[in-house]
Every structure is written in structure tokens, then in C-alpha cells.
Amino acid sequence: MIRLSPFNVVSLTLGFAFLYIPMVILVIYSFNASKLVTVWAGFSTQWYGELLRNEAFLDAAWVTLRVAIVSSTIATVLGTMAAYTLVRGGKFFGRTLFSGMVYAPLVMPEVITGLSLLLLFIGIGLDRGILTIVLAHTTFSMCFVSVVVSSRLVTFDRSLEEAALDLGASPFEAFRFVTLPIIAPAVISGWLLAFTLSLDDLVIASFTSGPSATTLPMKIWSSVRLGVSPEINALSTILIGLVTIGVISASLATKRATLRQKLDAQVAARPT
Amino acid sequence: MVNDTSFAPWDDPQERPLIRFQNVTKRFGDFVAIDDLTLDIYQREFFALLGPSGCGKTTMMRMLAGFEEPTDGMIELAGEDIAHVPPNKRAVNMMFQSYALFPHLSVWDNVAFGLRRESRDKDAIAERVEQMLKLTRLEKFAGRKPHQISGGQRQRVALARSLAKAPKLLLLDEPLGALDAKLRQATQFELMDIQEKTGTTFVIVTHDQEEAMTVASRVAVMDEGRVMQVATPEQIYEAPNSTYVADFIGDVNLIEGRAKPNGGGAYHINWAEGQAPFEAKSDMVLSEGQRCHLALRPEKVGIQPNKPEEVNAVQGKVLDIAYLGNLSTYHVELSTGQVIKAQTANTNRLSRRDFMWDDPVWVSWSASAGVLLSQ
Amino acid sequence: MGQLERKRGGAPVAMRRLTLITVPYLWLLALFLIPFAIVFKISLSDIALAIPPYTPTMEDGLWALLSQLDFENFVFLTEDDLYWKAYLSSLQIALISTVLTLLVGYPMAYAMARAPEEWRPTLMMLVILPFWTSFLIRVYAWVGILSSEGFLNQFLLWLGIVDTPLKILNTNTAVYVGIVYTYLPFMILPIYAALDRLDGSLIEAAEDLGCSRLEAFWLVTIPLSKNGIIAGCFLVFIPALGEFVIPSLLGGSGTLMIGKVLFEEFFANRDWPVASAVAVILLLILIVPIVLFQRNEQRQAKAEK
């Protein structure tokens, strides 16, 4: 095995310090008793209390959550359909345009996506609010879902589907009982990605939301523009905590699944 | 026969070996990969390290190349201890099992890679590269990238690249493993040809005993970090020194028994209760009643319908017939339950087979056909 | 039984296939392509026409539509050097931060690829984890660190390296830090993938042929991770070019980036035609790196086959 050189160890240490120190500071100072964010004045959880009493934040969080759940679910369905069409659709009219439209939003600056959608909504006279944010988020996140799912579909062994058809399944049944269970992990990670993108989005939501709907990032944005605030630190800590728990448990689950697979393989290989 | 009988530096006490392993041990943690190994390899030899996977042959090769350092002992190359010399400072080159051709460089640049490291002048490099490409018949492919040529051609590029610096020693790690059977045979002869033309010492690592036997001047059979036998292919095949070697190389019948010296190197082997002993000749000295094995190659065992005049003959019935085209192997079950394999050459086309399943037959061999092994 | 099933699925197959294609297709047409056409159209119209309530004036007929179009807004963009400067400075900031991200990311990706097998999933997770965390919060975290009474300045003062706090926040330096920080995973992952695929025996072969460690790195490792480097650089450069949050939060009044200009033009000045023209030009600038990126990806996919 190749051993890590001192240079490797140093670059890893510094690199991860760079990635994590800002977040650690944020978390620590969310428990600061002082309003002055850079002076430590003892441990306190008062900012969490204040955050929970702040109805504007709670409302924004609720709006964000609803938008994220609805838009990521629609985006997953549409994105999976788009992926299936791109990988399996064969030739159809306007295929190049279609694949262009699927990939373009991935690299499109958010300001442009936001601006163009806003102009559309005004043009057709659609009132801006939760609906328009959902439409906007669905549009760009379905493209991410489509990329995640199609990368799995490309490596999917097509003979499995053919075997299902050979055994009498209809194309839909073949998809439902063979393809979907196998690509499910990709579909789920696509959903998670869409969900996170929606939770996280500031720019597109700023363009497409109306006075009736303010999302959490928009709320955070309007208060951090004025500088560091302990309430935002507390909110950040909660979000970082949720993500950390989510990612770690997901990776533990994957690890356990692979471990179980390995054990099963060992058991299967054992002579009976 | 490519192996010139007069080429036998290992029998000449005046000859200094090119490579000496002296009491070399290599441990990875608790695992002993090489166990106190001593071995000499001579100039111009085509030396094969043969053994199953995990026997330590690859570790030996990597120590010669400089990618591993021995835990104990000395490795000498032309009288110099190279155990701790880094790989880029050794006059040793290696042909990798995966060929390790640089995918971003053309065939020409791959061959020139090592030469450029020596800061030779451009013309000299070009000349040497052309020479190598000619030797390996790759002139036409000089401008191609590795993924644009066939597996056999890649193998030759790897060979040309590792020979370009004219190393004192060339290491070949399973060089033909990735080729199909037909191409492999042709390439074996090509390798021998190139080895002779360049006069370079080759050490080849392989798990394929046929390959080792075909190309090598001497073969070292390895197991669990130790060398079991070092000898020419003929000696390894005809005079293995242990049941392990006899069994590893080719097909063999191993009959266990007890020796009874009969004088003049002749022995009686009692192999089964109530059966006449076998007669065998051996240079080895075995004591009365010592446990031993008689190793008998199937092609030295005859098969007849009637009792022959040979000294060793037993009756049995045909259990299985394996038709291999040029040869047929018969598995004959004796009354003791033991199975003896006998091989006959199929010299006549479409002749009716002499024996069928369950036919009663006699198998027989001469006193000198088998080898007596005490271990 | 089998036949029955087949029949049930057989007839509407064409219909299903059509639905499968049509639904996402129409969605993207309506919510991606048409909005885009509108931006393009507005960028070519007069300010009066574009002020709300704006209605696309298609019903006036094609000629009327075309006769309304003019390039005034683009001419305006070329005349006001704010826009020139914003474009150039966006390019410059994106370029510098891409190089900086590469310098930070490559050694990390390299060390990850050389780390023991059992560590790699954990290291990988550590790289990806920040990516799942709110982008806005990660940028915000630097406000508290880089401000004049922030942690970095306190630390430097305590060390005695400086005696007056450095002004880092609201400068381009802070923007570089922010971009490197938030886009680092995009740089590390493709490079790591390329290095992970790299066959270790190639490095050994190079050493065997007389290379020192460093030479082997330059002659083999770098060229063979080239595709990862290129992919990583584009993945940082393209979004950095249109970045809005980072320059607004960490940059100063002197930090000109086109995304920020567009946002302000739209919300503060309410000049929609100019904002649209800015968007069109930003897109035109992006087309070159996007096409190059696509080509790199395709070449790589082809090479893998």
C-alpha cells in the first residue's frame, strides 16, 4: 500500500480545516451569550429561544419546506421521465433540443434563470407566490435529477428488462418491478438533491416569489446583509446539524448495506 | 531445441552470478512473503519464477525492480548490493503485467520515455527507439496511442519500452497473461528470440507452468515464500525433488508406499496390502520401510488388453476416457480403488478406440519410468 | 396469462412512450425555453414597453414585433463602461478563484487518492458534506471571520503579525476566499475521480524507467489527471462567473461582478431591458466555456470506451 507522505497529510489537514473551521466557529458562537458575535461571553441558548419565537422565521421555514417537498417530488418524477427518455427513448423529433434543455439549466447562472422565469410569470399574468417558486424550483431541479438518474440508467443491464418482458411482463410492469427497484437509489438521491437545491435557493426564489411568500434563504439573506447576527448563527447550527445527521446516517446505511452484501456473498460462497 | 545444452553457467563453479539473493526475507506485517531465500541467477539466463498466486514470486520480482525492500538479507546485482537502491537508479527494467503503457503518449514516446530520462541527445534516442520498434516489428504503429493498437501489439510496446535502456536485467511480470492462447504461444517464441538477440538476462514471473517450461533456461518452483526446486525444465519435469513440484508441473500419478532397498539403487515399493510390490530405481538412498511416493507421468504408463512383460503391471478397469485430440488419457481404477492415469498418443486418424468404459485392462511401466520422492 | 399481460401493456405502448417524452419536454419548453425567448425579446425592446405591466406584443404581427426591436440596450451597455468593467472583472475574479481552487483542491484530491482504501469513503463524505449544507450559510460564515473585528484579524493581532486589523471583508480577496471555499468540492471530486482511476503501475513504470518521484508526477500523474483538472476548473469557473451571493455578501462596493450588476439593475433600477441585455451577454460569454466543457466530457467518455 502507498503510504501518505507528510505533504499529503499536511494538505489534507489544512484542506479540511479550511472546509470545517468556519462552520465550527458558527456553531460555537451560536451558543454565545453576548450579542456581539466575536466576543465570547459565556454559554447560552437564548438565541435558539429567540429564533423559535420569531414568527417571521418560522413562517419562512414552513414556506420553504412546503416548496421543497412539492417541487422535489414533481422534479423527481419529471427528471426520471426525462432521464428515461434520454437514455432509452431512441430517436425522436427534437431530441437534441430536449437534451440541450435538460443540460442547460445545470450551468445556467441562477440570476438568468430567475430573471427569465419572472418575466414569463409577469407576461402570462401569473400571481407570484408559492406556486411560482414551486414551478421555478421544479424546472431547474428536474434537470439535476435527470442527470443523476440517467448516469445510473446508462450502466443498467438492459437484459434484465428483456428478461422481464420475456417472462410476460408488460413494459410498464418491467419498469415498475425490475427497473425502478434497481435504479431506486439514484432516484432517491435525485430527490434529495432536488430537495436540498430547493431549500438552499436564494436567487431564483427572490426573482419568482411575491410579497405573499418569503422563503427561509430570503429571510436569512435580508438579515445577514446587515452583518453577523447570533440568531442566524443559531439557525445555521440547526441546519448544519440536520444535514450532518442526514449525511452521516445515509453513509452509515450505505456502509451497512455493502457490509451485509459482503457477508451474504461470503455465506453464499461457503461450501454447504 | 532452443535451450542450447552447452549453456549451463549454473554448473560452472568459475561463473559469477548476475543476481544473488542471499538469505532474503520479506515480511509484510506478520505475513512472511519471502522466507530466508537464497538463489543465484546468471548472465544471459531466461529464468522463470513459477508458482501459484501468493507464493511470493511477485514480491521477489518487485524487490529486484526496487519497489519493495527486503526486510533481511542481501540482493546483489553484478556484485553490488542493490537492496536499498531506488527503482529509478537501477539498471533493471520491468515489463508490467498490465503493460502500464502511458495512455497519453504515443507508442514512439512510450519507448523513448526511459531514454529521455538519461538526457541522451535526440538523435541517439531516435536511433535507439527505431531500433527497438524494428526489433518488435512495431514501426508501422509508432504514431498510435496505446488504445489504438491490439493486445499483442501493446505487449510488444511494453517489451520494447523496457528493453530500450538496455538493462542488465529485464523483469517480466506475467507478460503473456492478457493474451489469448494462440497468440500466447507465438509470443513465447518471440520472447525467446528477442532474449537471444539482445543477450539480456530475463526473469519472468508466471503461474503458467507450460509457459515457464517453454521459455525458461531454468525454472524456480516456489511455494509459500520458499523455492522448492531450481532446475532446467527437463529436470523439473523428469526429476522433481518433491511431490509438490511433481504435482505442480504437469500431470502425475502419485503412489504412496514403503521402500525396501534391493541393492544397486533398486527398490521394491510396497504400495498396497496383498499386492505385488512395484520395482523402481533411484539415486536417492532410502532406508528400509521409509515412507515414499512413486511419481509416475501418465505418458510413461502403458495400457494393454493383456498382461504385458513389464516389471510393473497391474490390472484394472477403464473408468474414464479423456480425448484430447493428439492424446487420450485413460483413468484406470485398480482393484484397490486407486486410479492410475495412462496416456497414449493418437497416431492413427479415425482408428477405432482400443478401450471402452469398464473394459478390463493392464497398466504397466518400467522400473526407471517413475521417480521416488521422500518428501 | 402471459399473453393477456402482453396485450394489456401492448396497445398503449406508443401512447405511454409519447407521454414519457411529451410531459418533461413541454415542461421545459414552457418554463425554460420560452422564458428565455422573452428575455431575449425584452433585451431588444425599449424601456417603456418593458415596464410592467409588460405583455408580449406578439398579436401585433411579426413585422410590428421586428420593427420594435433595436439594439439600443446593447449599445448602451457598450457605452457605459460600468458594464465593460463588470464583465472583465467577473472574468478576472472567476479565473483567479478557479486557479486558487485548483491549488487548494489538487493536493487534497491527490492525498485522498493515496489514502488507505478504508479511509476514502470517510474523506469523500467530509468533502461532500459541506455541499449539502446551505450555500448561503457557508458564505455567511466568512463574514464573521473576515470582518475587521473578525476571528482572523483577532488571531493575527494576537500572533503579533499585524498591529492594525486588515481590511479583508468587502474586498476582492474576500470574494476569492468565498468562491474557493464554496466551490472546493466541485474541484476535488472530478480530480479525485481521475486520480483514483489512475493505474498505480504507471507510476511504478515511470520510476522503473528512471523517473524520480517528482518527474513521475509531472510526466504521468498530471497529464493523466488532466481531464479531471479541466472538468473541475469548468465546474468552478462557470458558476463563479455568474455568482451573485458571494460578491454581494463578501465583496465591497468596488467588487464588480456581472451577476450582482444584473440583480441590482433589475431590483434597484428596475431597468428590465438592460438587465435582460446583461443576461444575454453573460450567456454569450458563458457559451464558450460551456461548449469547451462539454467537449472535454465527451472526449473523456469516448476515451473510456
Side-chain angles (χ1 to χ4, degrees), chain A residues 1-5 7-9 11-12 14-16 18-23 25-26 29 37-39 74 78 81-82 84-85 88-95 97-98 100-105 107-113 115-124 134-136 138-139 142-143 165-173 189 192-193 196-197 200 202-203 206-207 216-218 220-221 224-225 227-230 232-233 235-236 239-240 243-244 247-248 251 255, chain C residues 1-2 5-6 8-10 13 16-17 19-21 23-36 38-39 42 52-56 104 107-120 122-138 140-145 147 149-151 154 177 180-181 184-185 188 238-239 241-245 248-249 258-260 262-264 266-267 272 275-276 278-280 282-283 286 290 293-294:
Chain A
M1 192 204 298
I2 325 152
R3 254 170 242 111
L4 286 176
S5 70
F7 177 73
N8 294 146
V9 175
S11 39
L12 275 184
L14 289 182
F16 283 116
F18 174 63
L19 275 178
Y20 283 94
I21 283 179
M23 288 201 254
I25 290 178
L26 214 58
Y29 275 79
V37 273
T38 51
V39 181
I74 305 173
L78 290 175
M81 285 167 91
Y84 209 75
T85 307
R88 293 291 167 74
K91 281 208 161 85
F92 57 87
F93 179 72
R95 192 195 151 92
L97 175 69
F98 184 62
M101 288 196 299
V102 169
Y103 290 109
V107 288
M108 191 64 65
E110 290 166 320
V111 277
I112 298 183
T113 312
L115 175 71
S116 64
L117 281 165
L118 169 61
L119 294 176
L120 172 81
F121 294 145
I122 293 174
I124 59 173
V134 167
L135 288 177
T138 305
T139 307
M142 71 175 271
C143 302
L165 293 173
D166 181 65
L167 293 168
S170 69
F172 177 73
E173 285 168 326
S189 32
L192 280 173
L193 184 62
T196 321
L197 287 170
D200 208 20
L202 165 72
V203 177
S206 300
F207 275 101
L216 196 58
M218 290 166 72
I220 297 174
W221 176 249
V224 299
R225 293 206 73 166
V228 179
S229 99
I232 299 293
N233 283 357
L235 179 61
S236 308
L239 292 179
I240 291 171
V243 167
T244 311
V247 171
I248 288 179
S251 79
K255 206 171 174 182
Chain C
M1 176 70 187
E5 299 265 318
R6 221 171 265 261
R8 186 151 59 83
V13 159
R16 282 217 179 96
R17 181 163 177 259
T19 328
L20 199 64
I21 297 175
V23 175
Y25 206 138
L26 289 181
W27 184 287
L28 286 173
L29 273 182
L31 288 157
F32 181 74
L33 204 63
I34 292 178
F36 231 60
I38 296 176
V39 171
I42 293 184
Y54 169 80
T55 43
V104 178
M108 284 184 77
Y110 185 70
M112 279 171 67
R114 284 170 60 97
E117 200 85 45
E118 63 269 21
W119 290 11
R120 290 188 200 171
T122 311
L123 294 174
M124 197 66 165
M125 196 193 73
L126 284 174
V127 170
I128 296 172
L129 187 85
F131 169 79
W132 293 97
T133 322
S134 166
F135 180 81
L136 189 53
I137 285 172
R138 280 185 293 146
Y140 161 73
W142 283 95
V143 175
I145 295 173
S147 66
E149 64 275 20
F151 298 101
Q154 285 183 16
V177 172
V180 172
Y181 180 69
L184 192 58
I188 293 178
I238 293 170
L241 201 56
E243 187 51 58
F244 160 70
V245 173
S248 307
L249 212 53
I258 207 69
K260 196 177 141 201
L262 194 159
F263 203 85
E264 278 160 10
F266 191 86
F267 284 107
W272 296 12
S276 301
V278 171
V280 169
L282 172 55
L283 209 65
L286 274 175
I290 289 172
F293 174 66
Q294 279 290 339

Side-chain angles (χ1 to χ4, degrees), chain A residues 169-206:
Chain A
S170 69
F172 177 73
E173 285 168 326
F175 176 80
R176 168 69 189 77
F177 296 113
V178 177
T179 315
L180 193 59
I182 293 174
I183 64 166
V187 175
I188 292 170
S189 32
W191 187 88
L192 280 173
L193 184 62
F195 184 75
T196 321
L197 287 170
S198 173
L199 278 189
D200 208 20
D201 169 64
L202 165 72
V203 177
I204 294 174
S206 300

Side-chain angles (χ1 to χ4, degrees), chain C residues 1-299:
Chain C
M1 176 70 187
Q3 233 161 359
L4 205 79
E5 299 265 318
R6 221 171 265 261
K7 217 173 182 180
R8 186 151 59 83
V13 159
M15 267 279 286
R16 282 217 179 96
R17 181 163 177 259
L18 203 63
T19 328
L20 199 64
I21 297 175
T22 317
V23 175
Y25 206 138
L26 289 181
W27 184 287
L28 286 173
L29 273 182
L31 288 157
F32 181 74
L33 204 63
I34 292 178
F36 231 60
I38 296 176
V39 171
F40 199 67
K41 159 93 178 47
I42 293 184
S43 75
L44 294 173
S45 44
D46 286 326
I47 192 157
L49 279 166
I51 288 286
Y54 169 80
T55 43
T57 48
M58 283 294 214
E59 59 265 32
D60 297 348
L62 193 65
W63 178 245
L65 180 79
L66 284 176
S67 64
Q68 280 171 18
L69 304 182
D70 59 56
F71 289 88
E72 250 173 53
N73 299 310
F74 292 95
V75 174
F76 172 68
L77 291 190
T78 56
E79 278 165 359
D80 190 336
D81 58 343
L82 167 77
Y83 299 100
W84 275 116
K85 280 187 187 151
Y87 283 124
L88 290 178
S89 121
S90 293
L91 280 173
Q92 189 194 352
I93 289 175
L95 202 66
I96 292 176
S97 5
T98 304
V99 172
L100 291 175
T101 316
L102 178 64
L103 292 180
V104 178
Y106 198 97
M108 284 184 77
Y110 185 70
M112 279 171 67
R114 284 170 60 97
E117 200 85 45
E118 63 269 21
W119 290 11
R120 290 188 200 171
T122 311
L123 294 174
M124 197 66 165
M125 196 193 73
L126 284 174
V127 170
I128 296 172
L129 187 85
F131 169 79
W132 293 97
T133 322
S134 166
F135 180 81
L136 189 53
I137 285 172
R138 280 185 293 146
V139 179
Y140 161 73
W142 283 95
V143 175
I145 295 173
L146 298 178
S147 66
S148 49
E149 64 275 20
F151 298 101
L152 183 64
N153 270 316
Q154 285 183 16
F155 186 61
L156 291 177
L157 286 169
W158 178 75
L159 283 179
I161 294 177
V162 295
D163 8 290
T164 47
L166 297 173
K167 182 170 166 51
I168 306 173
L169 191 66
N170 305 326
T171 65
N172 283 0
T173 312
V175 176
Y176 298 144
V177 172
I179 295 178
V180 172
Y181 180 69
T182 44
Y183 290 110
L184 192 58
F186 294 102
M187 184 63 86
I188 293 178
L189 294 179
I191 296 177
Y192 169 75
L195 289 173
D196 191 42
R197 267 202 303 270
L198 193 116
D199 179 2
S201 65
L202 291 175
I203 310 295
E204 288 189 343
E207 286 184 29
D208 183 67
L209 292 167
C211 280
S212 65
R213 282 269 159 82
L214 205 63
E215 277 178 308
F217 179 75
W218 275 116
L219 293 169
V220 180
T221 312
I222 291 275
L224 288 178
S225 54
K226 194 184 76 194
N227 281 330
I229 295 174
I230 294 175
C233 285
F234 279 125
L235 286 177
V236 175
F237 182 78
I238 293 170
L241 201 56
E243 187 51 58
F244 160 70
V245 173
I246 297 172
S248 307
L249 212 53
L250 301 179
S253 49
T255 306
L256 276 177
M257 282 194 81
I258 207 69
K260 196 177 141 201
V261 169
L262 194 159
F263 203 85
E264 278 160 10
E265 206 62 66
F266 191 86
F267 284 107
N269 300 347
R270 305 194 69 80
D271 191 342
W272 296 12
V274 169
S276 301
V278 171
V280 169
I281 292 193
L282 172 55
L283 209 65
L284 290 179
I285 293 175
L286 274 175
I287 282 175
V288 176
I290 289 172
V291 167
L292 288 177
F293 174 66
Q294 279 290 339
R295 215 182 269 163
N296 181 55
E297 293 287 287
Q298 273 163 6
R299 212 183 37 214

Side-chain angles (χ1 to χ4, degrees), chain B residues 92-242:
Chain B
V92 174
N93 284 123
M94 175 155 168
M95 193 183 138
F96 288 77
Q97 184 174 9
S98 62
Y99 307 149
L101 298 180
F102 303 121
H104 58 301
L105 300 179
S106 67
V107 167
W108 207 97
D109 288 325
N110 261 287
V111 177
F113 190 93
L115 299 169
R116 292 198 172 126
R117 305 282 80 72
E118 296 176 330
S119 56
R120 298 194 197 184
D121 73 271
K122 273 211 170 105
D123 297 340
I125 292 175
E127 194 189 324
R128 181 68 181 162
V129 173
E130 299 297 337
Q131 196 185 343
M132 284 297 117
L133 291 177
K134 195 161 171 235
L135 180 71
T136 48
R137 296 178 289 113
L138 286 163
E139 300 104 313
K140 270 193 280 178
F141 307 102
R144 300 227 192 143
K145 291 276 176 72
H147 66 269
Q148 295 167 321
I149 55 178
S150 73
Q153 288 158 353
R154 269 178 231 165
Q155 190 267 348
R156 299 211 299 270
V157 177
L159 184 64
R161 185 178 73 177
S162 49
L163 277 172
K165 295 180 83 171
K168 283 184 187 151
L169 171 66
L170 182 73
L171 306 169
L172 304 104
D173 186 4
E174 305 266 4
L176 311 176
L179 304 181
D180 63 61
K182 264 257 156 63
L183 191 55
R184 190 183 306 190
Q185 275 196 344
T187 314
Q188 283 168 0
F189 288 103
E190 212 172 86
L191 269 184
M192 290 153 68
D193 199 37
I194 287 174
Q195 194 259 344
E196 241 174 53
K197 268 190 202 154
T198 58
T200 314
T201 310
F202 277 27
V203 172
I204 180 174
V205 155
T206 179
H207 67 274
D208 178 346
Q209 41 114 347
E210 248 178 75
E211 187 170 298
M213 306 286 278
T214 311
V215 299
S217 56
R218 281 194 305 158
V219 177
V221 181
M222 293 187 64
D223 186 39
E224 292 180 341
R226 277 167 300 139
V227 167
M228 306 303 287
Q229 186 173 12
V230 186
T232 62
E234 293 88 338
Q235 285 169 324
I236 291 265
Y237 189 75
E238 300 293 357
N241 65 358
S242 60

